[in-house]
Amino acid sequence: GKMRQLAIRHLPPQMRGLVLAVFVAAALAVPQGFTTYFNLPKCPDGFREVPEAKGRVLVSVVDANIAGLTVGEPLNNGEDRQHSHAVVGATSLDSLHIAADSCCNKDGAHQGPIRTTGTAASHTSNLPFTQLLLCAATNVSAFQVPYGTVSYFSPDIGACPANWTGYGPAVGRTLVPGYDETGPTPSASHPLQNREDRVHNHTFSASFTTDQVSYAGIDGCCNNDPAKAQTYQIDGAAATSSSNVPYLQMLTCLSKEETFAIELPHGALIFAPATGCPDGWEVATTLAGRVLVALPYDGVAGFSFGGPSISSDGTQPIHGHSVNGTITLPASDIGLASGCCAGGYAAAGSVPFAGTSSSDAVDFPFLMVPLCSKADMRA
């Protein structure tokens, strides 16, 4: 039960052998559909790749009816996929009065508020990715995993197996390797709904400098329609956009098999949020804080790309975009010819603007849990 699970979790390693005496001694084979990551270039004997997962992040579900559903197109080898945003901003042109009627020279710009649109240039999510081989057991009788192991199960499995239960804390999240045996620790993001393509947005600030126009007259009272020539700031927001992280929903289950025994091939990695790493295994610290991608076709196993690792407190890397566009300054009718000597007025027409967005996280939800490897093998 839960109380026993919590008690086991806090036992020192030397005490686990005593508790093992009350667990069944017989070998308990891993169930059909059991999968695990390997830090190897190919699946070992007794395992096969999971083709549905290739090039995708895995997101946990406990409802087998929605396992196997996908969002987005798979990543290629080392592909740090980009995304962009449309932006909408506003500014206001200051007034510079002139002694003239409101007709009929349209060279100058009209003072007042203006809205404009533009584009936030493509950028990556800055999430930290590592490609690992995901393999499903085919010779299940040859392998076993201990109580408290969490595993993704192949999409063709209709429910968590006997003596395994749906792992609720991970629902709508991807499992991210932790830095130690504490946890599980969820990110602040709300879990994904079924096939949700999570979106995010930014604010932005940009600037532009007007061209100048002069009039054959004098500045002064009392026409306040002309705009002042100077540099102006545009403030606004980016439209929501997907971070373009493709994922596969996978049934995720926790083992309640009453054994601490483990038998897996060299290179195997297991999630162990309930009890910590088994004896002879240790936290795979080199993978801590990385978002795991099932190895793409023609991918390089173990290759890392993207941003810096998620920190131990769950802080996600942030990203921003350069912003650019063109703003159109409306004309102001002035009853003077263009020329000398009333100057300092903004010219009408289109002017480019440029700036940067705020730096924000993409809000892809995760659960940080210990990922363990054999102590004689550094992951």
Side-chain angles (χ1 to χ4, degrees), residues 39 91 101 146 244 268 275 277:
N39 195 13
T91 190
D101 294 331
N244 289 337
T275 60
C277 294

Side-chain angles (χ1 to χ4, degrees), residues 283-294:
V283 174
T285 54
T286 59
L287 294 171
R290 309 300 296 180
V291 176
L292 303 182
V293 176

Side-chain angles (χ1 to χ4, degrees), residues 220-282:
C221 187
C222 289
N223 187 335
N224 295 320
D225 288 346
K228 182 179 181 180
Q230 61 181 9
T231 297
Y232 290 92
Q233 181 169 309
I234 300 173
D235 294 305
T240 57
S241 175
S242 166
S243 55
N244 289 337
V245 176
Y247 69 83
L248 169 69
Q249 294 177 173
M250 290 275 277
L251 183 65
T252 306
C253 308
L254 173 95
S255 173
K256 290 192 171 183
E257 297 280 17
E258 295 187 340
T259 180
F260 281 140
I262 181 168
E263 183 63 41
L264 287 173
H266 180 81
L269 301 160
I270 63 166
F271 288 107
T275 60
C277 294
D279 290 342
W281 291 60
E282 63 187 6

Side-chain angles (χ1 to χ4, degrees), residues 58-329:
L58 306 183
V59 170
S60 296
V61 297
V62 294
D63 180 357
N65 293 316
I66 60 174
L69 301 180
T70 62
V71 169
E73 294 298 317
L75 298 173
N76 296 315
N77 178 45
E79 181 188 356
D80 201 1
R81 191 163 290 171
Q82 299 188 341
H83 66 278
S84 62
H85 301 259
V87 299
V88 177
T91 190
S92 186
L93 303 185
D94 295 338
S95 173
L96 182 60
H97 52 219
I98 193 169
D101 294 331
S102 298
C103 178
C104 294
N105 187 332
K106 299 180 181 293
D107 290 348
H110 197 289
Q111 60 83 24
I114 306 174
R115 290 177 63 83
T116 190
T117 59
T119 302
S122 294
H123 200 283
T124 68
S125 66
N126 208 31
L127 287 173
F129 297 106
T130 296
Q131 299 174 165
L132 288 178
L133 199 59
L134 183 72
C135 305
T138 55
N139 183 13
V140 294
S141 63
F143 308 111
Q144 57 182 325
V145 292
Y147 180 98
T149 297
V150 164
S151 173
Y152 296 113
F153 279 79
S154 297
D156 57 348
I157 298 300
C160 287
N163 297 323
W164 290 67
T165 187
Y167 188 51
V171 170
R173 302 177 182 275
T174 190
L175 298 177
V176 166
Y179 287 82
D180 51 36
E181 297 189 51
T182 61
T185 304
S187 65
S189 307
H190 294 295
L192 294 168
Q193 300 299 309
N194 180 34
R195 298 197 69 204
E196 178 189 352
D197 193 4
R198 180 64 55 86
V199 297
H200 68 283
N201 59 12
H202 304 266
T203 59
F204 81 93
S205 180
S207 64
F208 66 94
T209 300
T210 66
D211 294 328
Q212 293 195 38
V213 66
S214 298
Y215 296 105
I218 59 171
D219 55 5
C221 187
C222 289
N223 187 335
N224 295 320
D225 288 346
K228 182 179 181 180
Q230 61 181 9
T231 297
Y232 290 92
Q233 181 169 309
I234 300 173
D235 294 305
T240 57
S241 175
S242 166
S243 55
N244 289 337
V245 176
Y247 69 83
L248 169 69
Q249 294 177 173
M250 290 275 277
L251 183 65
T252 306
C253 308
L254 173 95
S255 173
K256 290 192 171 183
E257 297 280 17
E258 295 187 340
T259 180
F260 281 140
I262 181 168
E263 183 63 41
L264 287 173
H266 180 81
L269 301 160
I270 63 166
F271 288 107
T275 60
C277 294
D279 290 342
W281 291 60
E282 63 187 6
V283 174
T285 54
T286 59
L287 294 171
R290 309 300 296 180
V291 176
L292 303 182
V293 176
L295 188 67
Y297 287 101
D298 299 321
V300 177
F303 179 66
S304 294
F305 57 98
S309 297
I310 297 167
S311 65
S312 59
D313 65 3
T315 301
Q316 294 188 45
I318 56 178
H319 75 284
H321 301 259
S322 60
V323 175
N324 55 74
T326 299
I327 186 169
T328 299
L329 311 183

